[in-house]
Amino acid sequence: MDDIKDINEQSQGISRRTFLYSLGALALSACGGGEGSSGTDAAAVRSAKTSSTPTTGLAEVATGDSDVTTSGSFVHPGLLHTQADFDRMAQKVAAQTSPWYDSWNLLTANSHASLSYTARPQVEVTRGGTGTQNYSVLYNDIAAAYACALRWQITGDTAYADKAVQIMNAWSSTLQELTGDTNVDLAAGIYGYEFANAGEIMRGYSNWASSDFAAFQSMMLNIFYPINYDYLNGHNNTEITHYWANWDLCNIASVMAIGVLCDNQALFDEAVNYFLKGTGNGAIAQAVYYLHPGYLGQWQESGRDQGHNTLGIALGGAICEMAWNQGVDLYGHDNNRFLSGAEYVAKGNLLEPDGTTYYTVPYVTYSNVDVTQTEFSTTSQGTIRPCWALVYNHYVNRLGLAAPWSEKFALQIQPEGGGGNYGTSSGGYDQLGYGTLTCTVDPVTPASAPSGLTAYPSAGQVVLSWWGVANATSYNVQRSSTSGGSYSTVASGIVDPLTYTDSPDTGTWYYVVSAQTASGASSNSSEAVAVTAIQLQTYLTFDETSGTSAADSSGNGNAGTLEGGVTHVAGKVSNSVALDGSTGYVSLPNDIVVNVSDFTIAAWVYWNGNGGASSARVFDFGSGTGRYMYLSPKGTSGYVQFGITLNGVHGELAVYGNAALPTGQWAHVAVTLSATTATLYVNGNAVGSSSDVVFTPWRIGDTAQNWIGRSQNSAHPYFSGSIDEFRIYLGAMSADQIATLVQRALM
């Protein structure tokens, strides 16, 4: 019952080195690009790793945000479904109400939901490598346990409860090991979260002996979880961008589900925090790689193939729903970032009204350690997975927001059947299915106004995006020169995407958006502000003669802190700070550029040369080696270099000068970004430019490592020399303005 997707991921193991060459035109041949190519067969070490439960946390990026720490008792049942969900399902099915009843009929017709189903527990389950590939036995039995558990909860028929318990007891009393090559990580993740969900549904059944339930918990905690943890903690010793988002997501889902099943708060919190700020591609900032205008969030696997791209929505949705049922809102994190990814993936896999042409979605180049992808993949485009009912019902029917593309997909494919009913391109049993039955809720009153309005300047224009309301027919944009209005309408009749680019005069502008509905205009959204003038944001003169603080003369409170080997010396203008090239740097406040789009950053620099070494930093703002922006006096190119990335060095967009900064003398260096054009200046002269820098500082996200003189990469040297007159401006200065900035210090 393996589909193409399963076969391909299985092939990531011992045959990985020849895989890309042998599959040729198979629909999902892109699978080999980034998965499991460490060359390390995990099978030999899995036994040792299942002998104990890890106790340390998972690696996180430096956002400065506190970890989520939950407390109190878990809600039970409380993974994908709560008791309130089951009560609703039972009521709707009893009344034969569509669409719940339609999905129920698919459930009862499925052979996995039959009392005649026979479990086939295995001592060892293998996915990948040279052993017998028997993992399909496991996922079929999980599908049966889940289906029978649903039938019991909805009808109260204990025969189905007994069947579900029988299947789970058979496995918990038999299974000793998950093994294979690195693909066992997929087995532990996907089947781990699914099996835990089946167990969570049945935990309240009076005829499931407490000792048997404890044995099931032990199996999940001691066989599945250690593999989940080991993968997320080390990624099989590969470079962090190597594995696709789905590998992380399925293991996050498993850790979260096992945490609830086993009443282990630490595991649940571990999964939540990794989803929010983990180092791997499954963390939501990486999974939704790039936000296009109108909140179309490019999913990390969009350039790979649509079988895997849609799997990301199935896994991400499961994580968000399980957290939601425990009182943690991952759905809404970062202005509904998950929804932006779902809307993007849904739109890119839906046909236009002509029935033959797929909708187009915007795309920016994605690069990791293995591949560079320049366009949205059409491989397996149109893939159907039973995941859209969950997305649509949460955002539209629970919250009253608009999610037009997820809604269209959900309604087009309902009723959703079981996870194995969707053909070869759907990922077989990578999801549990039956979402129309389990996730459909009656709609709430639509939201009273659009939400999440953002406005950022781009080359003198202002780009606005917002979230809509469930009953809107169009949207209106209003602008004012003062906060709170009065507002003038600058655009109306906006339908899709929910974005507008305004071209106001130079100044500071305030925006609101309203929805047009059948009953009239809605209330206005919250206000967003955009500055289209050049505005000083941070100004460190470094004129102090002692102490560890560097005052911000801009008046915005962005003072610096002198760390390590830093002294006060004569500067280009009055005093400066001298950094010793060993431990000295200046730390700036968290999130120094979190709201910055177009910018100018400038400073006077006296560089000692770092002994000829490259990659020292004039500044480096980021959250680690994955997301940052920097200026180096001598980059890897050998020249002065600016770079910005959302995916580490492999995704870096760089601008190069024509020489390294001079040594042993003061030089003025500046970098500007206007829309997608970045320009480097040395002593007032443009020395390099690039017109395809699509990353702006706000896209980096929250940052807690904002440094002058130090790199995000600990292997790079600290800056050796002096820095004076460090400035950050909102807006990109012109060449004449940069020249004037230089001349001020020479007067």
Side-chain angles (χ1 to χ4, degrees), residues 83-450:
Q83 190 57 51
D85 294 330
F86 290 123
D87 293 344
R88 179 189 65 250
M89 295 177 218
Q91 179 186 30
K92 298 294 186 180
V93 168
Q96 298 187 11
T97 305
S98 182
W100 294 268
Y101 191 64
D102 306 314
S103 187
W104 167 257
N105 287 335
L106 293 178
L107 169 65
T108 57
N110 193 306
S111 62
H112 293 83
S114 169
L115 294 177
S116 63
Y117 187 91
T118 301
R120 295 186 294 157
Q122 308 289 303
V123 172
E124 180 180 287
V125 169
T126 301
R127 178 163 181 169
T130 58
T132 300
Q133 303 298 302
N134 63 344
Y135 62 95
S136 65
V137 175
L138 174 58
Y139 68 59
N140 274 286
D141 281 8
I142 293 171
Y146 176 74
C148 290
L150 285 182
R151 292 194 71 165
W152 166 63
Q153 281 281 7
I154 293 169
T155 66
D157 188 337
T158 58
Y160 290 97
D162 292 338
K163 174 57 68 172
V165 165
Q166 180 189 77
I167 294 169
M168 290 186 285
N169 285 349
W171 279 92
S172 62
S173 63
T174 304
L175 182 65
Q176 296 181 16
E177 184 178 21
L178 301 179
T179 189
D181 59 16
T182 53
N183 281 270
V184 74
D185 297 325
L186 294 171
I190 296 171
Y191 315 137
Y193 100 83
E194 292 179 340
F195 221 171
N197 265 275
E200 178 71 7
I201 294 172
M202 295 307 306
R203 67 181 302 138
Y205 181 49
S206 58
N207 285 342
W208 196 4
S210 59
S211 59
D212 289 337
F213 177 56
F216 184 81
Q217 290 175 306
S218 178
M219 175 185 69
M220 301 306 302
L221 189 62
N222 295 313
I223 295 179
F224 287 83
Y225 170 68
I227 299 176
N228 304 147
Y229 175 90
D230 177 65
Y231 167 77
L232 291 171
N233 192 52
H235 290 84
N236 295 312
N237 299 315
T238 60
E239 200 271 352
I240 196 64
T241 66
H242 170 67
Y243 282 97
W244 297 100
N246 288 334
W247 288 69
D248 278 18
L249 288 167
C250 69
N251 282 281
I252 295 169
S254 184
V255 172
M256 179 177 287
I258 293 170
V260 174
L261 177 77
C262 297
D263 288 297
N264 189 318
Q265 211 83 44
L267 266 63
F268 178 81
D269 293 350
E270 186 176 272
V272 167
N273 287 304
Y274 198 88
F275 183 79
L276 293 175
K277 52 184 178 175
T279 56
N281 282 324
I284 190 61
Q286 294 301 110
V288 182
Y289 176 67
Y290 187 91
L291 290 175
H292 296 275
Y295 298 144
L296 287 174
Q298 182 175 316
W299 198 263
Q300 189 254 354
E301 305 198 41
S302 296
R304 184 187 180 195
D305 65 73
Q306 298 314 306
H308 290 93
N309 208 29
T310 52
L311 176 59
I313 306 306
L315 293 170
I319 292 167
C320 290
E321 183 69 10
M322 292 188 294
W324 176 268
N325 285 331
Q326 296 301 331
V328 177
D329 186 11
L330 299 183
Y331 281 117
H333 172 70
D334 195 14
N335 197 11
N336 301 321
R337 194 176 184 99
F338 174 70
L339 176 57
S340 71
E343 285 291 278
Y344 179 91
V345 174
K347 185 174 183 179
N349 283 278
L350 281 166
L351 289 168
E352 296 188 37
D354 64 11
T356 59
T357 306
Y358 285 99
Y359 287 99
T360 59
V361 288
Y363 188 88
V364 298
T365 296
Y366 172 80
S367 296
N368 62 26
V369 66
D370 300 299
V371 297
T372 293
Q373 296 165 337
T374 60
E375 61 185 4
F376 185 87
S377 175
T378 59
T379 301
S380 300
Q381 195 169 15
T383 288
I384 295 174
R385 285 185 184 274
C387 62
W388 298 108
L390 182 150
V391 178
Y392 157 55
N393 278 279
H394 176 77
Y395 289 105
V396 179
N397 288 345
R398 268 186 188 154
L399 303 184
L401 302 180
W405 301 108
S406 299
E407 178 176 0
K408 184 175 182 178
F409 218 140
L411 297 180
Q412 179 177 291
I413 66 172
Q414 76 176 25
E416 290 180 353
N421 291 353
Y422 287 84
T424 59
S425 65
S426 70
Y429 289 82
D430 291 342
Q431 56 278 310
L432 289 165
Y434 306 113
T436 306
L437 169 66
T438 60
C439 299
T440 301
V441 296
D442 291 317
V444 299
T445 301
S448 61

